[in-house]
Amino acid sequence: MHLRQITAHNLSTFRHHYVAEISGSLGDLGTFLPIAIALAVNNTVSLSSTLIFSGLFNILTGLFFGIPLPVQPMKAIAAVAIARNFSNGAIAAAGLFVAAFILLFSVTGLLTRFANAIPIPIIKGIQVGAGLSLIIASANSLLSSLTWCSPSWADNRLWALAAFIFLLSTNVYRTAPYALIVFLLGLLFAIILSALASDLPSLTIWHPYTVLPTPHEWSLGILDAAIGQIPLTTLNSVVAVVHLAHDLLPNTPTPSITSIGLSVAGMNLLACWFGAMPVCHGSGGLAAQYRFGARSGASIIFLGVFKLIIGLFFGESLVGLLKRFPTALLGVMVIAAGLELVSVGESLNTTGARDIRKAGHGLIGNQAPEIGPMLSDYERKKRWTVMMVTVGLLVGFKNDAVGFLAGLLCHWAFEIPALVERVKARWEERRGAVRLE
């Protein structure tokens, strides 16, 4: 799709569904805000640079891809940086190393070859595992600290329960702008709490600065954070997000593996030098924004403009306000994203799966048939088992690479009987040829 067509698609979608697009643009804040705040409070990243550069990347992503592709934190790096209280230079070094790795694999074509070689059940497993991980993380990190009346009148289990009931109602009333309503309510509560504490944001113009990691920071960032982030970025932020975009938006051209890889590399090779948080494109964020109504790049362009403005003019003064945004509401938004991502697993054995759709294309007119005549019970069970092994080990070890390797081993184990039969057939052919001679 050319830029002119993408622009027309964005404008048309926003013009006819602007409420849904705005609501959808806020869907990934449940992941973005807690991590950005935690890193900014520790002075690990600059909140203003993070908002400005992520906003700029939101705008460019929406303009070039035309889908609600998120710009979200690199979670493995963020987790280590928060736990180890990284400096600006250490987290920048981690982001730059991952970006250089993804750039190398993208321009050489190795990333595309790798993605094409992964069986679909494993990709589905990574997506479902990521969704379950979001739900578990929300329950453990955001919602577990709440009681029925604390930590405040604006942030407790009652509000979490109300937000969850509202979320369930959107399964019936799909057009309700859930994320927009919840965000505005949470923002109102945060403003009231900040006003009572005399800690409202003030006009603070962005003063950019550069970060040059020292040799020690390079070593610390690469060895302790970047190496663990590479499998997550490759599998979830490139491979899984491309497949999810194809599944959720089949009528919109899907970005290529290479283009997504170059996007991830470019964002971090530019922003990390200015103290911004390392970012990527994640399947969880795409699922969240889709769940809350986003269907085009216009949604994240809107979000990008919003981030850009508040980052330029308020920046670090927003930390206090954002810290007071109710975790009860953020937690339920994260759960909603997880549930949307988990739901993609149901298409594993239907024509919703890319490999089945390709295999069946053209058998019945111009449409692929349902799976009945295409997959045997054994094939369905095999695919389901591979997906669930991937999910189970990914969630259990909290590591995408472990889940991927476990799913791959399971897939190969199912291929052993066929491999043995092929070896036997070749052996018989050779024996027959020897007899003829």
Side-chain angles (χ1 to χ4, degrees):
M1 184 183 290
H2 299 296
L3 287 177
R4 183 177 298 177
Q5 293 173 298
I6 292 174
T7 302
H9 169 66
N10 287 341
L11 290 174
S12 175
T13 305
F14 192 82
R15 187 181 301 115
H16 293 96
H17 308 285
Y18 61 91
V19 175
E21 291 291 295
I22 294 173
S23 178
S25 73
L26 305 172
D28 194 36
L29 292 182
T31 301
F32 183 90
L33 286 182
I35 294 177
I37 293 169
L39 291 172
V41 168
N42 290 342
N43 293 318
T44 302
V45 302
S46 163
L47 181 60
S48 53
S49 292
T50 295
L51 289 170
I52 289 167
F53 280 102
S54 65
L56 177 63
F57 299 146
N58 277 135
I59 294 170
L60 294 175
T61 299
L63 290 174
F64 282 99
F65 295 127
I67 61 173
L69 198 63
V71 175
Q72 57 182 198
M74 287 190 175
K75 298 181 184 65
I77 289 178
V80 174
I82 293 168
R84 300 280 301 275
N85 198 17
F86 269 15
S87 63
N88 292 145
I91 197 171
L96 290 166
F97 182 81
V98 174
F101 180 91
I102 297 298
L103 176 64
L104 176 64
F105 271 62
S106 297
V107 298
T108 58
L110 292 175
L111 196 58
T112 300
R113 293 183 183 181
F114 171 73
N116 291 337
I118 303 176
I120 294 297
I122 295 177
I123 293 174
K124 292 282 186 183
I126 292 169
Q127 293 170 335
V128 173
L132 288 175
S133 296
L134 285 175
I135 296 170
I136 294 170
S138 175
N140 290 340
S141 301
L142 295 175
L143 301 179
S144 62
S145 61
L146 303 177
T147 67
W148 291 109
C149 299
S150 65
S152 74
W153 61 267
D155 190 15
N156 50 55
R157 288 181 185 173
L158 291 174
W159 282 112
L161 179 62
F164 186 69
I165 292 172
F166 182 25
L167 174 67
L168 294 179
S169 72
T170 61
N171 290 321
V172 179
Y173 304 101
R174 300 288 293 189
T175 57
Y178 178 87
L180 180 60
I181 294 172
V182 170
F183 174 75
L184 291 177
L185 180 64
L187 184 61
L188 175 62
F189 288 171
I191 291 173
I192 293 173
L193 292 172
S194 295
L196 293 175
S198 301
D199 190 24
L200 286 170
S202 58
L203 185 65
T204 307
I205 305 300
W206 180 48
H207 296 288
Y209 63 90
T210 56
V211 175
L212 298 175
T214 65
H216 173 69
E217 288 173 332
W218 278 109
S219 175
L220 184 66
I222 292 171
L223 296 178
D224 289 11
I227 291 176
Q229 178 67 51
I230 287 172
L232 181 60
T233 297
T234 305
L235 296 170
N236 184 51
S237 301
V238 180
V239 177
V241 80
V242 168
H243 282 261
L244 184 64
H246 186 274
D247 292 341
L248 296 180
L249 302 162
N251 297 322
T252 304
T254 304
S256 67
I257 293 289
T258 299
S259 63
I260 295 296
L262 292 174
S263 176
V264 171
M267 289 190 299
N268 292 285
L269 288 175
L270 173 62
C272 287
W273 297 110
F274 294 91
M277 176 176 65
V279 292
C280 60
H281 304 302
S283 57
L286 175 58
Q289 290 170 174
Y290 180 89
R291 172 65 179 81
F292 295 128
R295 295 295 184 272
S296 76
S299 61
I300 54 172
I301 292 173
F302 173 86
L303 176 63
V305 172
F306 180 68
K307 284 182 183 178
L308 201 58
I309 292 173
I310 63 174
L312 283 170
F313 296 105
F314 296 97
E316 310 303 326
S317 70
L318 287 165
V319 172
L321 174 67
L322 296 179
K323 282 176 63 177
R324 293 181 176 86
F325 196 99
T327 55
L329 304 183
L330 284 176
V332 176
M333 290 176 70
V334 173
I335 288 175
L339 292 173
E340 185 67 27
L341 200 49
V342 167
S343 69
V344 304
E346 68 177 348
S347 65
L348 173 69
N349 289 329
T350 72
T351 50
R354 180 180 295 190
D355 55 343
I356 295 178
R357 183 161 56 245
K358 287 182 177 178
H361 184 71
L363 295 180
I364 300 178
N366 291 325
Q367 296 183 347
E370 294 301 321
I371 66 155
M374 297 175 61
L375 292 182
S376 64
D377 289 339
Y378 173 77
E379 285 291 327
R380 294 191 192 102
K381 183 178 179 180
K382 181 183 79 171
R383 290 166 64 89
W384 178 260
T385 302
V386 171
M387 184 181 79
M388 293 311 298
V389 166
T390 305
V391 171
L393 274 292
L394 187 156
V395 174
F397 284 90
K398 300 180 181 179
N399 190 306
D400 284 45
V402 172
F404 169 74
L405 291 175
L408 198 58
L409 290 173
C410 183
H411 173 78
W412 286 341
F414 276 114
E415 296 299 315
I416 290 175
L419 177 62
V420 171
E421 290 299 322
R422 286 196 295 268
V423 171
K424 285 183 178 179
R426 290 181 181 178
W427 177 252
E428 291 296 331
E429 288 178 4
R430 290 181 180 178
R431 288 182 60 186
V434 170
R435 288 174 185 173
L436 291 175
E437 290 177 357

